[in-house]
Amino acid sequence: MHFGPHLLLAALEGLVTSAVLALTALGLSLVFGVMRVVNVAHGEFFMLGAVLAWAITTAIGGHPALGFLAALVIAPLIVGAIALVAERLVLRRLNYNPEATIVATIGMLYIIQQLALTFYGPEARPVEPPFSYRILLPWFGYSGYKLSIIAASALLLVATWLVLTRTKIGLIMRATQYDSETAQAFGIPVGRVYGGVFALGAMLAAIAAVLIVPISQAHYLMGQDPLLLSFIVVIIGGLGSLRGTVVAAVLIGLSDGIISMFFSPTLAKIIATLLVAMVLVFRPQGLFGTASR
Amino acid sequence: MTLETLNKGNGIMDKSKTFDLSKTGLTRRTTLKGLAATAGLVTAPGFVRYSQAQSSAPIKIGFQSHRTGIGAAYGRWYEKTTAAAVKAINAAGGINGRQVEVIIEDDGTDPGRGAEVVGKFATQHKTDIVFGTLFSHVVIGSAPAAGEAKIPYFVVSEGHHVASTKLNRYVFQPGITDVKSQIQSMAPWIAANAGKKVTQIFPDFAFGYDHRDYLPPALKAQGADVIAQIAIPPTESSFTKYFPQIPAETEVIYHVMVGPAVLTFVKELGEFYGSNRPQLFGFIDSLEATDINSPGLEFLDGSHFWEGSPRYAQADDTEAQKAYRTAVGIDDNGAAVGDPKDVSTAAHMFGCWETLYVVKKAMEDAGYKGPEDRAKLVEATEALTAFAEGPEHPQGAKTFNGKIHQCFGIQNISKVEGGKLKVVHKTKIEDGLYEAEGDYTTQAL
């Protein structure tokens, strides 16, 4: 294959990775930004989204698009509810203490994972894409559904940005992030904001998973890679910065696609990790993060 | 408590009968608590409940199972097959007149955990042997622990590592053939029927390396060539980015992928090539426990697979094969009876059944009494030479080379046709024989 088409394929693959990564990492970044909680169980919410998507599409049947749309709405809601319960039962009782919440979310990771293994099983199960249009380029064929993931993710990111910057809910969230004590003094129900943000973070991961599951399959261990990559993205972009998260996700996704296609996937991971190290040394707050006060 | 029994229902280890507290008639809670504690103690590992002669105690087989981790689907079916075989052996009088008891420990499909589990079987459960491992990296990680504890370790792994004689004298693979032999016996068919220019796609770890190393020479001998080798990390979840590395002149894509991502692999290959694809030859390992009719797998129609034992019932199945399928509980499509979605790992799990019968034969030959006879058991296993086709070896006849601890048997090449796998070629035992690379019997016991 010639260089041009090869690069095009690499870029397309990279963009699909970026799209899903941006949504997942945004959830992680929001939770840290507002609550100062490092959610190690974030990848498991992603996995739950995919597993629920499988369950919902299987239960509904009929045209694949029908089940998929239902999954896109219902799965994130269920995952959000589970996250809310976890936040009420665990994180709140630890007073959101940074060290304790890390340990607690590690525990949540294993509990969710093993429950998925027990009730869903060890198999990787497929979900049919809502449509299976194959775009025929002169050099290779490409899945039309994959391109639609990029579009869907971009829409969702814009929607999240609008909510954060243009609505009252967004204002309350930003106020809590900026200074939770002062926010409380001004009558903002910080506890409820925390619960909502934790649920929203989990829902973003679940939506990303529902989008990716038709090209990837639901499996109980699928949360590990997105977790690691999300942390990389969030560290590079700056914790709590929406813009940084998106830029870093595109950067990591594209470099992963292109480097692993022209060189090796291992090299792509090495470079991403090296980038994290460099950012931590020279700009610990991340590319777009603000230094902590 | 991690102790578990597979042979529930045969009345031997049925805890609900042996320790039924509900009929004791005692009302005092404290007494009940005491009793429960005693019951717990009695079932604890290592506790000897048999006051009679040792000969009536069961033979204990430690089953190193992939209950969690990437091998979990295999682990579940290995357990089912093992339970069926043990039930059949016990119903026929056990081994040397003693019943067989299986103790399962989960290794998480992880080499480090695997070694710990072997140690636990040897020192805590004090099992007679360790058995049942599939994944090659777990076998390689656990083998030194078995050699150190001097406990016979019967694996059902398919890798070439046992036969390479790089492990140790306590490791055996008598129930399933190894990759080197499989490749060698199938290469003539691939070169003659699929194509001469082959691109290999394989996982980037031990099992994949067996394919990487042994396919090129085997094809060369048949006048065919491997023109590209593409290694894919075992955790990869997206494959399109590797496909440009497949040379345009490729006639056959030889694929071996293990892990949950195989459906994606096939689907993306389909999107990439459309209907204008090269021939495909794969190892069913990729699609074990996966319904061949899953969405996205239509692309495999007309392609060929290696199968150790056929998943779908074939027209010429032997009586032994039929009886084996019934005993394990799989239907004509290779799925669990009563649950067509629960597809088995039929191409491999027969190895558990056959290995247990080899263990039985070797223990009987050795007059095996207990762990003090483990060395005798090793020698008796090494002395075996052939296993005849029949109820104990339903996959087919096999020969056994005691020097390299490996069996040799027939392979099936199946074609995907109308949503089923149909066997189109069976190799002969001789096709897969090769020069021994070493000799375990020269090692000290």
Side-chain angles (χ1 to χ4, degrees):
Chain A
M1 197 179 280
H2 294 295
F3 181 75
H6 202 156
L7 185 67
L8 176 66
L9 184 60
L12 284 174
E13 283 292 292
L15 276 177
V16 174
T17 313
S18 309
V20 176
L21 194 51
L23 280 179
T24 319
L26 182 61
L28 190 70
S29 178
L30 267 181
V31 169
F32 181 82
V34 176
M35 301 166 68
R36 303 277 132 183
V37 165
V38 177
N39 181 14
V40 184
H42 194 64
E44 303 316 307
F45 291 129
F46 179 87
M47 178 271 288
L48 271 184
V51 166
L52 286 170
W54 174 83
I56 292 165
T57 50
T58 312
I60 287 182
H63 192 273
L66 207 66
F68 180 81
L69 286 177
L72 201 53
V73 176
I74 302 172
L77 286 177
I78 300 178
V79 172
I82 294 171
L84 192 63
V85 171
E87 197 268 350
R88 292 287 105 144
L89 287 182
V90 183
L91 301 184
R92 172 187 280 218
R93 283 160 204 273
L94 297 170
N95 292 324
Y96 308 102
N97 173 303
E99 287 88 8
T101 50
I102 287 180
V103 178
T105 53
I106 291 174
M108 276 156 60
L109 179 156
Y110 285 117
I111 291 170
I112 296 173
Q113 203 177 78
Q114 294 306 311
L115 284 177
L117 175 62
T118 308
F119 293 105
Y120 169 80
E123 295 90 1
R125 300 179 208 239
V127 172
E128 267 194 83
F131 58 92
S132 51
Y133 181 68
R134 179 169 171 261
I135 298 172
L136 193 59
L137 300 169
W139 318 277
F140 56 84
Y142 201 73
S143 151
Y145 176 73
K146 278 192 179 176
L147 290 182
S148 77
I149 293 180
I150 303 175
S153 166
L155 278 177
L156 283 165
L157 288 171
V158 170
T160 314
W161 177 75
L162 286 175
V163 167
L164 281 178
T165 55
R166 298 280 188 279
T167 65
K168 192 167 177 215
I169 297 173
L171 183 69
I172 290 174
M173 275 165 60
R174 280 182 292 137
T176 314
Q177 170 171 8
Y178 192 76
D179 188 337
S180 60
E181 278 177 27
T182 315
Q184 191 148 30
F186 277 85
I188 289 176
V190 170
R192 249 188 279 167
V193 173
Y194 278 4
V197 165
F198 196 73
L200 180 65
M203 285 167 76
L204 282 170
I207 292 173
V210 177
L211 287 176
I212 197 84
V213 77
I215 57 169
S216 163
Q217 289 103 50
H219 184 244
Y220 82 104
L221 291 176
M222 72 187 294
Q224 293 172 344
D225 261 19
L227 177 72
L228 193 68
L229 281 171
S230 297
F231 269 117
I232 290 177
V233 162
V234 166
I235 290 170
I236 292 176
L239 278 161
S241 157
L242 195 155
R243 189 169 46 145
T245 304
V246 174
V247 170
V250 172
L251 192 73
I252 291 294
L254 274 183
S255 75
D256 186 74
I258 292 169
I259 294 169
S260 58
M261 197 172 285
F262 286 99
F263 301 99
S264 91
T266 318
L267 185 69
K269 298 272 185 306
I270 292 174
I271 290 180
T273 321
L274 182 72
L275 206 55
V276 169
M278 299 310 265
V279 165
L280 285 177
V281 171
F282 294 108
R283 206 177 150 79
Q285 71 272 34
L287 296 181
F288 294 90
T290 43
S292 55
R293 285 159 285 114
Chain B
M1 185 165 304
T2 50
L3 184 141
E4 297 186 41
T5 53
L6 267 178
N7 47 353
K8 268 185 195 161
N10 62 11
I12 297 306
M13 272 301 295
D14 197 337
K15 282 180 215 158
S16 63
K17 284 180 190 163
T18 317
F19 306 111
D20 192 346
L21 297 177
S22 61
K23 297 189 182 75
T24 56
L26 288 172
T27 48
R28 300 230 0 225
R29 185 164 295 191
T30 45
T31 319
L32 275 176
K33 271 185 189 165
L35 264 178
T38 318
L41 251 181
V42 169
T43 51
F47 191 93
V48 183
R49 275 160 295 153
Y50 297 87
S51 49
Q52 313 99 302
Q54 192 200 10
S55 60
S56 67
I59 286 184
K60 290 203 273 187
I61 294 182
F63 184 175
Q64 186 187 32
S65 174
H66 304 324
R67 199 167 255 187
T68 55
I70 58 167
Y74 276 101
R76 205 159 51 80
W77 279 99
Y78 267 41
E79 288 187 18
K80 284 194 189 186
T81 313
T82 302
V86 167
K87 195 175 160 201
I89 290 172
N90 282 341
I95 298 178
N96 287 334
R98 292 161 64 188
Q99 295 285 296
V100 176
E101 180 192 338
V102 174
I103 298 164
I104 302 174
E105 285 281 351
D106 176 23
D107 63 17
T109 324
D110 176 80
R113 277 277 291 285
E116 287 168 19
V117 164
V118 168
K120 200 168 171 188
F121 280 134
T123 55
Q124 189 178 335
H125 295 300
K126 305 206 191 312
T127 61
D128 293 281
I129 62 166
V130 180
F131 157 85
T133 327
L134 169 75
F135 272 66
S136 52
H137 61 308
V138 183
V139 171
I140 292 168
S142 307
E148 211 167 288
K150 296 193 182 297
I151 186 164
Y153 181 38
F154 291 86
V155 302
V156 188
S157 158
E158 198 195 352
H160 178 61
H161 32 271
V162 179
S164 71
T165 62
K166 301 261 168 61
L167 301 180
N168 61 64
R169 195 165 176 188
Y170 284 85
V171 190
F172 291 90
Q173 186 158 262
I176 191 165
T177 55
D178 71 303
V179 170
K180 184 176 179 180
S181 167
Q182 293 167 354
I183 289 173
Q184 186 184 312
S185 50
M186 293 187 303
W189 188 92
I190 297 175
N193 297 285
K196 306 271 188 213
K197 288 179 178 162
V198 180
T199 292
Q200 261 188 290
I201 300 178
F202 57 90
D204 204 357
F205 70 101
F207 175 67
Y209 298 161
D210 282 351
H211 287 271
R212 178 194 66 188
D213 297 342
Y214 299 120
L215 184 68
L219 281 176
K220 199 99 194 163
Q222 304 298 327
D225 279 308
V226 172
I227 55 173
Q229 293 192 314
I230 303 170
I232 295 184
T235 54
E236 186 59 89
S237 59
S238 162
F239 304 90
T240 304
K241 52 180 178 266
Y242 300 93
F243 297 151
Q245 296 175 31
I246 302 172
E249 66 269 28
T250 298
E251 293 170 8
V252 188
I253 294 177
Y254 174 104
H255 60 99
V256 190
M257 292 299 306
V258 179
V262 63
L263 288 174
T264 317
F265 172 76
V266 172
K267 199 183 287 182
E268 294 189 343
L269 207 57
E271 278 155 4
F272 190 79
Y273 277 112
S275 54
N276 189 22
R277 65 161 165 82
Q279 291 292 313
L280 296 175
F281 184 91
F283 267 61
I284 195 71
D285 304 48
S286 322
L287 292 166
E288 284 281 66
T290 304
D291 189 347
I292 204 97
N293 298 307
S294 300
L297 293 188
E298 307 82 16
F299 182 67
L300 289 173
D301 202 43
S303 75
H304 292 88
F305 279 101
W306 165 86
E307 288 192 291
S309 185
R311 174 187 298 182
Y312 288 86
Q314 307 290 317
D316 58 347
D317 273 348
T318 59
E319 286 309 311
Q321 173 70 219
K322 286 176 190 160
Y324 155 79
R325 295 177 77 99
T326 310
V328 175
I330 55 173
D331 62 15
D332 285 353
N333 295 328
V337 173
D339 186 0
K341 283 190 186 309
D342 188 4
V343 177
S344 70
T345 60
H348 295 82
M349 67 195 195
F350 73 91
C352 292
W353 179 284
E354 298 205 0
T355 302
L356 284 169
Y357 277 103
V358 172
V359 169
K360 175 177 184 307
K361 174 89 174 70
M363 283 188 168
E364 285 167 358
D365 288 355
Y368 184 86
K369 297 234 163 39
E372 68 280 6
D373 290 337
R374 281 176 184 157
K376 274 202 221 163
L377 175 61
V378 167
E379 287 172 334
T381 312
E382 284 167 348
L384 299 170
T385 53
F387 315 122
E389 193 275 337
E392 301 182 353
H393 296 277
Q395 189 262 353
K398 289 180 186 58
T399 62
F400 184 73
N401 185 339
K403 288 185 173 159
I404 60 173
H405 291 188
Q406 176 64 51
C407 73
F408 293 88
I410 61 156
Q411 315 297 340
N412 299 290
I413 295 176
S414 303
K415 186 177 185 186
V416 184
E417 235 175 39
K420 292 188 173 193
L421 285 154
K422 185 166 180 280
V423 177
V424 293
H425 180 69
K426 277 183 192 288
T427 67
K428 298 191 175 59
I429 296 180
E430 307 83 69
D431 299 340
L433 297 177
Y434 50 77
E435 283 292 306
E437 292 162 38
D439 185 354
Y440 281 125
T441 59
T442 56
Q443 294 180 8
L445 274 164

